[in-house]
Every structure is written in structure tokens, then in C-alpha cells.
Amino acid sequence: MINFQYCRATDVADAILLLTDHPGAKLIAGGTNLIDLMKENVEQPSRLIDISRLPLRKVAETADGGLRIGALVPNSDLGYHPLVEQRYPLLASAILAGASAQLRNMATVGGNLMQRTRCAYFYDTATPCNKRSPGSGCSAIDGLNRNHAILGTSASCIATNPSDMSVALAALGALVHIAGPSGERTMALTDFHRLPDDTPHVDTNLGTGEIITGIELPPRGFAHNYSYLKVRDRLSYAFALVSVAAALELDGNAIREARVALGGVAHKPWRSLEAETALRGQAATEDHFSRAAHLLLEGARTCSHNGFKIELARRAIVRTLTQAASATPQSQAHKKIA
């Protein structure tokens, strides 16, 4: 048995203090990932800080027309929230593509951003893994790497980020609200997760003692021309081989604004400003979508078993942009791709 201390934070300041005072501490709310990791002995926190009763469960409109979403809002509540369904259906669709209904009921917005990779070697404590045990090596690089990353990889790690929600948040230009010992700050969602480089055990750019307090969505929601496509090995409860969040603003058939982010291909949600810039001012055609796919996948590097992901991603990008342009988004109720 591995002993740990359990305590319950009374407010955000208390949570920060409890976290800062104890380097081996972990926050817990829904626990849908952390409990699994503790059962597998991947995580062994010396202190669990329960933040599930903190007042971070509101979804509120901001002064500029955006939304502020508390870190403890359950994924299911957010996916079916009327303002999210109306203004940010791309986010609702991505959330409903993730996990199962039971897990979405427990999982929180902040926890979703903090969930760790589902790399099988990360969970297998009998094998080397730089993310679990820094400096031990990466078993995936020369192992079974069919599900692994093709973009932003390093010689230390080729794990992927498993979140669906984060892919949509990256495309929408969301901000992460953070509180810590030095006060409050915000960070672009695209800067929140890190590439592995030589420190793959560090997943995010959160500082010591910092916690997520909420997410902010900008006013622009791309509510008409959007789609979230998740390609996976089975229709239910599987992580993405490749996922694409696409959002367009059109003037007739001309693209005024474009957003594209990928999941399942990198250590973080993958977005290319160069690809989006290339789409602006162009006609919404397959040729231009293919050009954007080429730019998004530029620099992709494959291993022995995941070479198929480049072509899979290219086709998924073109399909998702086509669905967005025609205002026929991928249905998450009927997941089968036509």
C-alpha cells in the first residue's frame, strides 16, 4: 500500500497554499485520469488536494461577448450548455466526441487540460519511459508506435496529448485563466501544453503552485461553418488516431477567416498559423484545403508503425474543412464517417 495524505481546499488561495507547501501534492476533482494513474503506480502523490467543492462551476458571459467557463464545470454540462451549443458548437462537438457519457459526467474542464498521455509504455511501469521516469529512455520510439505522434516529436518522447476538448479550444483561440503564488494570469491555450523536447515529463507551462481557474472563449464562435472529425479504431470510447477541428468564416465561397487544429498527432493540440493564413482570401475548394493540409503536416516524422497517419491526417483535414465550408458538420451522435 502506498500511503498519501488527503485534504480538502476551502478556496482557491487555500488550494495554492496546500500545493505550494507540498512538492509531491496533486490536485483532484473528477479524478477520471489521476485515479487510474495511481492504480497503475504511475502517479504516487504524497498529498491529494480535493478541489471539487471550490466555486469554479459557473459558465458566464464576458463583457466583450465571450464566455468564461469555470475549471470545475463538468464536461457533460459544458457540452450541453445552451450558450456553448449556440455560439461554440465546435467545442460542444469535440467534447461529445470524447470518452463515455459516464466519464464526461465526472471529468472537469481543468482536469481535461491536465490529463496525461495514453501511451501504453507510460502506463507500463516495467518499461523505460522518459515521461514517467526522466532519463530512462523511450520504449515507443522502437516499439509499437502505431498511435504515436508524427509532429513536434523529440528523441526523448513521441507521446500524444489525448484531449478532444483542447483541440477545439486551440482552434477557437481560448485563453486559460491561472492562479498561483504570484497572483493571476492568462495564457493562450496553444501555449499551455508543451512539446516534449528533452523534458517530456513536464506536460504544461503551469508554474509551481499554480492551478487552472477557468477557460475564456473569445466572442468569435464560428457557429455556422465548423466541424470536428475524430478518426479512431472504434466508434465509441477510443482516443483519436487523428482528429481535426475546423472553423471558417465565409463571404460567399471566399474564406475570410480560417482555423484548423489537429489532435492525436502531437504532444499538444497542433495548429499552424501558416496554414490558416494560406486559406484566408482563397476559395473554399479542395485544392486550397489540400494546400493547408500540406502546410499543417510539414515536418511530420514517422516511426515504424505510424507512417499511415500522414495520409490519414491529410485526408481528415480536407474532409473536415469541406464539412465546415458546406455547414454539414460531423455528427457525434452518428459517429460513422459517411
Side-chain angles (χ1 to χ4, degrees), residues 213-244:
T213 57
I215 298 292
E216 185 172 330
L217 293 171
R220 179 183 274 167
F222 299 94
H224 187 64
N225 294 100
Y226 71 92
S227 188
Y228 185 75
L229 177 61
K230 180 177 181 178
V231 184
R232 48 192 147 181
D233 283 329
R234 59 177 186 265
L235 291 179
S236 176
Y237 194 28
F239 295 96
L241 288 169
V242 171
S243 66
V244 186

Side-chain angles (χ1 to χ4, degrees), residues 18-161:
L18 289 167
L19 196 58
T20 306
D21 280 355
H22 207 92
K26 292 282 185 180
L27 302 176
I28 187 167
T32 56
N33 188 206
L34 181 58
I35 297 299
D36 281 349
L37 293 170
M38 290 174 67
K39 287 178 179 175
E40 299 292 338
N41 285 327
V42 176
E43 295 274 13
Q44 299 175 356
S46 52
R47 171 188 280 180
L48 279 185
I49 305 167
D50 185 346
I51 59 171
S52 62
R53 299 188 184 185
L54 300 187
L56 300 172
R57 290 177 176 268
K58 289 184 179 177
V59 177
E61 295 182 81
T62 60
D64 65 355
L67 281 188
R68 170 76 183 257
I69 301 159
L72 296 178
V73 174
N75 285 186
S76 53
D77 289 10
L78 188 61
Y80 290 112
H81 194 285
L83 291 177
V84 175
E85 288 183 319
Q86 292 165 14
R87 298 185 190 177
Y88 307 95
L90 174 61
L91 176 58
S93 182
I95 290 171
L96 296 179
S100 64
Q102 293 88 345
L103 286 168
R104 291 195 295 268
N105 287 339
M106 287 298 297
T108 63
V109 167
N112 193 302
L113 297 191
M114 295 298 293
Q115 65 178 311
R116 310 206 68 187
T117 182
R118 261 61 180 186
C119 173
Y121 297 106
F122 175 67
Y123 275 77
D124 183 357
T125 56
T127 63
C129 171
N130 287 322
K131 179 176 279 297
R132 173 172 28 79
S133 180
S136 63
C138 175
S139 300
I141 289 177
D142 294 318
L144 297 174
N145 44 47
R146 178 176 179 272
N147 298 330
H148 289 72
I150 58 174
L151 291 163
T153 58
S154 75
S156 298
C157 184
I158 57 171
T160 58
N161 182 292

Side-chain angles (χ1 to χ4, degrees), residues 6 14 22 84 144 178 187 197 256 262 266 269 271 275 284 295 307:
Y6 170 85
D14 189 38
H22 207 92
V84 175
L144 297 174
I178 296 164
M187 184 189 302
D197 297 322
R256 278 201 305 235
L262 307 181
R271 188 175 159 193
L295 292 171

